[in-house]
Amino acid sequence: MAGTVSKIIHFHDGEEFIDDIDFALERFSYLASKYGHNPVEGIVLWDSIAVRDEEGIKLFRVGEFPYFRGTLKLDLETLRVMERYFDELESRWDELSVEEINYFVEMLNEALGEERVYYDAYSLGLDRNTAYIIINLVALNYLEGVLDGKDREIFEEAVEVLLKYL
C-alpha cells in the first residue's frame, strides 16, 4: 500500500493500550467521516482472532467468546465446537503464547473440517503484549494540512496517543 507504514507496537498494560487505541480510533473515524481520510488503516492485537460466519469476517479477542457467541451467524454444532476450544484457550489466558493460540486455531479448524477461524498475529511475528498497526502517512499528512479549530484539537489528541506507542 503506497503511503503506508506498518509497525509492531509493544505495550505493558493491555487494557490501557486498548483504551488509548479506542480513543484514537474514535477520533480518526470521526475525522474520516468528515474529510474522507483515516490515518489508521488497520490494527491487529496479539490475541485477535477472526471468525468467518454467514455474514463475513468478524474480529474478536481471545477471552471474548461469551460475548461474540450471540453475534456469530453459525449453526449450533459449529458454535459448540468453537466454544470447547475457546473455553480451553480462555482457561489458560495468563500463560498463553502466540504459538499456542496459533496451534489451537489450527486444531479448531481441523475439528470444524474447514478454515473458518483465522489468526494473523503469529505470521506477523507478534508476541504477547504487542500489536501490528498500519498507518497511512498520506492521510495523516492530508489531515494535518487541512484541519483547524476543534477538528485540529481532535486530530492532535489522537496523534498524541499514537505517538505514546510509536
Side-chain angles (χ1 to χ4, degrees):
M1 294 178 273
T4 63
V5 64
S6 55
K7 174 140 178 61
I8 294 178
I9 299 171
H10 300 272
F11 51 89
H12 298 289
D13 182 334
E15 295 311 312
E16 178 184 357
F17 177 75
I18 297 298
D19 290 344
D20 285 347
I21 291 300
D22 281 346
F23 176 88
L25 291 177
E26 284 175 12
R27 277 144 185 80
F28 285 137
S29 293
Y30 163 76
L31 294 171
S33 71
K34 287 180 74 173
Y35 299 93
H37 298 273
N38 193 333
V40 177
E41 290 193 352
I43 188 160
V44 176
L45 294 168
W46 75 276
D47 61 350
S48 296
I49 293 180
V51 178
R52 179 177 44 83
D53 69 0
E54 295 170 8
E55 296 176 338
I57 304 282
K58 296 178 179 166
L59 189 64
F60 305 98
R61 294 182 65 207
V62 172
E64 291 182 338
F65 188 78
Y67 307 109
F68 74 75
R69 188 174 182 198
T71 65
L72 289 172
K73 305 296 186 230
L74 296 168
D75 64 83
L76 191 54
E77 184 55 33
T78 300
L79 284 171
R80 285 186 180 145
V81 171
M82 291 176 73
E83 184 172 30
R84 282 196 309 270
Y85 281 85
F86 282 112
D87 283 349
E88 177 66 23
L89 274 177
E90 292 166 18
S91 72
R92 302 182 57 229
W93 171 253
D94 291 335
E95 60 202 46
L96 273 179
S97 69
V98 173
E99 292 80 11
E100 289 173 304
I101 296 172
N102 191 60
Y103 179 69
F104 269 91
V105 168
E106 288 173 359
M107 288 186 347
L108 174 56
N109 282 328
E110 193 173 308
L112 294 172
E114 64 180 320
E115 191 170 0
R116 181 170 291 281
V117 182
Y118 308 95
Y119 182 64
D120 292 330
Y122 179 75
S123 61
L124 290 170
L126 299 182
D127 287 319
R128 191 176 189 91
N129 292 331
T130 59
Y132 181 85
I133 189 166
I134 301 169
I135 299 174
N136 184 321
L137 297 175
V138 173
L140 193 65
N141 188 48
Y142 172 79
L143 290 174
E144 220 289 287
V146 300
L147 297 176
D148 59 7
K150 183 67 176 161
D151 286 347
R152 163 125 349 249
E153 289 176 33
I154 291 169
F155 174 77
E156 289 175 355
E157 289 172 347
V159 169
E160 183 177 325
V161 168
L162 274 186
L163 289 176
K164 177 178 172 181
Y165 296 99
L166 300 176

